[in-house]
Amino acid sequence: MTATLVTIGGFAAISSANAASPTSSSFGVSMEVESICTVNAPPVDVLLAATEAGTATEAVTAETALILNCSKGSIATIGLTPASTTSLDGTGNLKGGLLGEELVAYKLTSVSAAGDAWGTTNPVKTAAFENYATAISTPIFLTVTDAADVTPGSYTDTINISVAY
């Protein structure tokens, strides 16, 4: 029985000694926040008003918008490239008519239909994003730039969008 008391007493002595001088430690926490820019709403397809052959003017125009959400403080640089010409200056051609090879020239602009062409070599920049949750909408105008003196029918093109941030 004496051995048990000594052993128990020994543990009690060790236990109370540890309680008198506690130890502490610490560890760090970190996280990498990556920049992001997403297309919140892609532009709606543009449908230009029907026009009589040979009479189209710059009054034949339509508008859509690109809506982006980007990281706080980001400025998005938006470039547009018509698939019909792979033109980098924001001018393109609607293709159709005879054998699908007739062309109706147009230009892409921002701010207004009468503005300068907007392509990849002359991109449009957004304002700095206040936060990711606040989207920025950028208008896109498509304006016919010639008389459309072509065979009657449907004329189409596709616009490719690039966004750098």
Side-chain angles (χ1 to χ4, degrees), residues 36-151:
I36 186 171
C37 196
T38 59
V39 175
N40 177 313
V44 176
D45 289 348
V46 172
L47 178 60
L48 292 164
T51 188
E52 294 174 352
T55 63
T57 67
E58 288 191 9
V60 179
T61 190
E63 178 183 357
T64 189
L66 173 64
I67 302 173
L68 299 174
N69 287 84
C70 298
S71 303
K72 182 179 182 176
S74 295
I75 296 174
T77 301
I78 306 164
L80 302 177
T81 307
S84 63
T85 61
T86 63
S87 167
L88 300 178
D89 67 0
T91 60
N93 293 305
L94 299 166
K95 286 182 161 187
L98 206 55
L99 303 173
E101 296 300 318
E102 292 183 77
L103 308 173
V104 176
Y106 68 88
K107 72 175 178 175
L108 299 161
T109 58
S110 184
V111 182
S112 75
D116 293 332
W118 165 17
T120 302
T121 55
N122 47 343
V124 168
K125 293 185 178 191
T126 65
F129 281 79
E130 293 179 21
N131 56 52
Y132 183 77
T134 304
I136 292 180
S137 178
T138 304
I140 302 170
F141 294 90
L142 189 143
T143 305
V144 172
T145 59
D146 73 8
D149 195 5
V150 293
T151 304

